[in-house]
Amino acid sequence: MTRRLRAILLELWLPVLGIALWWVLSDDSTSPFFPPLRRIVEAFRDNWLFARIDTDLVPSLTRFVEGFLIATVVGVLLGLALGLWPLARRALAPSIDFLRSIPAPALISVMILLIGFGDGMKVAAIALASTFPILLNTIDGVRGVEPQQLDMARVYKLGYWHRITRIVLPAASPQIFAGMRVALAVALLVMAFSEMFAGTNGLGFFIVFAQETYRIPDMWAGIVMLGIVGYAVNLCFLAFERRILRWHRGWRATAQER
Amino acid sequence: MQSVHALEVRALSKTYGTGDRAVRAIDDLTFEVEPGEFLCIVGPSGCGKTTLLKCLSGLLRPTSGAAYLEGTLIERSPDGLALVFQEYSRSLLPWMTVGANVRLPLLGRRVRRSERRSRAAEALDAVGLTGFEDKHPWQLSGGMQQRVAIARALAYQPHLLLMDEPFASVDAQTRADLEDLVLDVHERFGITVVFVTHDIDESVYLADRIVVLTHRPTTVEEIVTVSLPRPRDQIATKELPEFMEIRGRVIRLIKGETGESDEGDDIPAGVVAAHEEVPE
């Protein structure tokens, strides 16, 4: 129990200290840009408990989840194809490298022209930008499958489907998950940015709109909310990853012992 | 049908690469394995034993010559052939439980789920691993992992079991236990076994006949018949004067071989081109 308490203290000391300092130092602030934390907390309560959950938080999260799921499916399937098929990889690698070098926000302006200002554009922008880390990691993971495991599959005459689902995908899964973790951050960024750029609701829109109308405490409350969302999404993903990759941690731990 | 060999290797040769960089790994191998026989293959290190097994299991295409499994030309991985690799840690799948690993070869066949389970249970029982189905391979010792690999091969119910230095990376006591396990399995299921090893004692202890290979480019130096009585015993069999005599003979055959050739052992890296592998 004391060990658990120590672990929690070790993780929380900095956030607690930071918030305490912020609270004390900003308490008598008269600057319109840096309002006292007290007022930001009030603004947070007024907006996020729970008035704007339906109108702004849920739409943001929906776009984020849709975009991220599309990116995962496209990234893994395309990565599988390119990882298994060297000719396709050589044919497409330069184009992929070019596309992924364009900063995601720049793509949003093109998306607006092509798809318009709606939800579809935002989901597409999130999906496009976060596909690349998943795609590249999947290709690497698929290419790194232990050759002896593939030999084994051939000797035992496993079909293509079983080779993919029982050997290639599980073997590549640690790298796929690493790519998804990066993609998660990209998806959040593009979500917020697309809403700031062309939104009528959502977290990004809320922050920009508050700023433009000089509701500075609201703006800060939005930023805090965005941080909480990002942190929570990461925690959920890590819990999911821990479940799926439990074998990988065990296997690596024993491999290091030897 | 009496005359069909379990395995027949006819003038098989394998050259890696072409032109100046060509390396002749196997030069004209011919031998037969009879049904139910336990055949060991020994030879100096780097003599292309693994190349031979890859040709026999259909993973590599011979440059010339051929191998026949029960009279059928081996082109791709043939039916009824199982292979136990040297490195269990690389051929077992760490993301699957022991049970799933053993059931894996049955996925490629039309075997019902319930039968997959019962065959896997039987195979695990044969190697003494009942009760470990739900563990992962990396939770077991090296010797137990190789038992899992053997159980996986048994669940496939092969006619011919190829083993590529399967006990090279376990300690001596485990090795003796695994040797007896393989003898037991061979006896019980009547499987034909081709067992590659660099350990001469092991080959004499296990085999009905020993194929002694020459240095690269490899041919058959001699085929030694081992007429030691079965069942064999780690102590009694190895104390027989005949055991010592055969052992000495095989050692002299191999030593004479390595003495006269100073060529490098290993095939240079990069010579094995991907296109030489048998395509899917």
Side-chain angles (χ1 to χ4, degrees), chain A residues 81-144:
Chain A
L82 297 193
L84 292 171
W85 194 16
L87 196 69
R89 187 165 65 240
R90 294 217 316 267
L92 292 181
S95 316
I96 289 170
D97 278 338
F98 180 77
L99 279 179
R100 86 186 165 95
S101 316
I102 302 172
L107 293 172
I108 291 176
S109 42
V110 183
M111 293 274 180
I112 291 174
L113 288 178
L114 291 178
I115 315 179
F117 282 87
D119 268 5
M121 176 279 285
K122 295 179 190 96
V123 172
I126 295 167
L128 179 66
S130 48
T131 295
F132 291 111
I134 300 175
L135 172 65
L136 296 175
N137 270 275
T138 305
I139 294 175
D140 271 1
V142 169
R143 292 179 70 191

Side-chain angles (χ1 to χ4, degrees), chain B:
Chain B
M1 291 304 280
Q2 280 292 317
S3 63
V4 175
H5 303 291
L7 177 73
E8 186 180 354
V9 180
R10 274 276 152 264
L12 187 138
S13 82
K14 178 70 195 172
T15 304
Y16 289 108
T18 51
D20 292 345
R21 302 219 305 159
V23 176
R24 199 156 180 77
I26 297 178
D27 183 53
D28 194 12
L29 272 185
T30 297
F31 61 88
E32 295 93 33
V33 189
E34 302 310 326
E37 190 178 23
F38 200 122
L39 186 95
C40 281
I41 298 178
V42 296
S45 60
C47 77
K49 288 172 290 203
T50 298
T51 300
L52 171 63
L53 280 196
K54 281 198 158 187
C55 289
L56 296 183
S57 53
L59 296 171
L60 269 180
R61 187 166 285 168
T63 310
S64 66
Y68 302 87
L69 181 71
E70 292 169 338
T72 309
L73 178 67
I74 296 173
E75 282 181 302
R76 301 186 173 194
S77 294
D79 281 323
L81 178 142
L83 174 59
V84 173
F85 293 87
Q86 177 177 349
E87 282 171 87
Y88 48 80
S89 59
R90 289 206 276 151
S91 84
L92 293 176
L93 306 179
W95 47 88
M96 286 184 181
T97 61
V98 165
N101 266 288
V102 173
R103 289 192 296 272
L104 188 77
L106 302 176
L107 289 179
R109 298 185 159 188
R110 298 187 179 279
V111 178
R112 253 179 295 140
R113 201 192 191 90
S114 57
E115 203 194 327
R116 283 210 290 269
R117 294 206 165 266
S118 66
R119 273 216 228 167
E122 219 174 294
L124 280 169
D125 179 56
V127 300
L129 282 182
T130 301
F132 288 91
E133 284 90 343
D134 297 328
K135 292 260 185 264
H136 281 82
W138 37 266
Q139 292 172 305
L140 308 180
S141 69
M144 287 164 95
Q145 289 186 49
Q146 196 55 294
R147 281 168 194 260
V148 175
I150 293 169
R152 181 172 64 186
L154 291 179
Y156 194 60
Q157 298 184 340
H159 299 186
L160 178 66
L161 176 60
L162 300 181
M163 303 187 87
D164 184 8
E165 303 197 23
F167 310 143
S169 41
V170 296
D171 62 84
Q173 182 53 49
T174 310
R175 187 179 188 129
D177 292 345
L178 288 171
E179 285 166 7
D180 289 336
L181 172 77
V182 170
L183 283 180
D184 175 56
V185 158
H186 167 247
E187 187 84 14
R188 243 207 287 177
F189 297 94
I191 307 171
T192 312
V193 182
V194 172
F195 189 106
V196 167
T197 177
H198 61 253
D199 182 325
I200 291 159
D201 285 42
E202 183 170 78
S203 71
V204 179
Y205 179 65
L206 294 174
D208 293 314
R209 286 189 304 150
I210 302 171
V211 174
V212 182
L213 299 178
T214 66
H215 209 279
R216 209 155 43 80
T218 307
T219 57
V220 176
E221 170 80 25
E222 199 171 318
I223 296 176
V224 178
T225 302
V226 183
S227 47
L228 296 167
R230 290 189 190 271
R232 305 219 170 135
D233 179 88
Q234 287 285 353
I235 297 164
T237 302
K238 289 180 177 175
E239 281 173 348
L240 293 171
E242 209 187 339
F243 181 92
M244 304 304 277
E245 184 200 314
I246 298 169
R247 178 175 172 271
R249 200 167 136 211
V250 175
I251 290 175
R252 272 188 288 277
L253 283 169
I254 291 179
K255 241 186 157 171
E257 243 330 292
T258 36
E260 65 198 34
S261 173
D262 296 314
E263 256 186 282
D265 270 354
D266 300 315
I267 291 158
V271 172
V272 185
H275 67 262
E276 287 185 284
E277 302 251 323
V278 178
E280 297 286 331

Side-chain angles (χ1 to χ4, degrees), chain A residues 10 14 41-42 177 185:
Chain A
L10 195 63
L14 187 57
V41 170
E42 284 163 16
F177 271 89

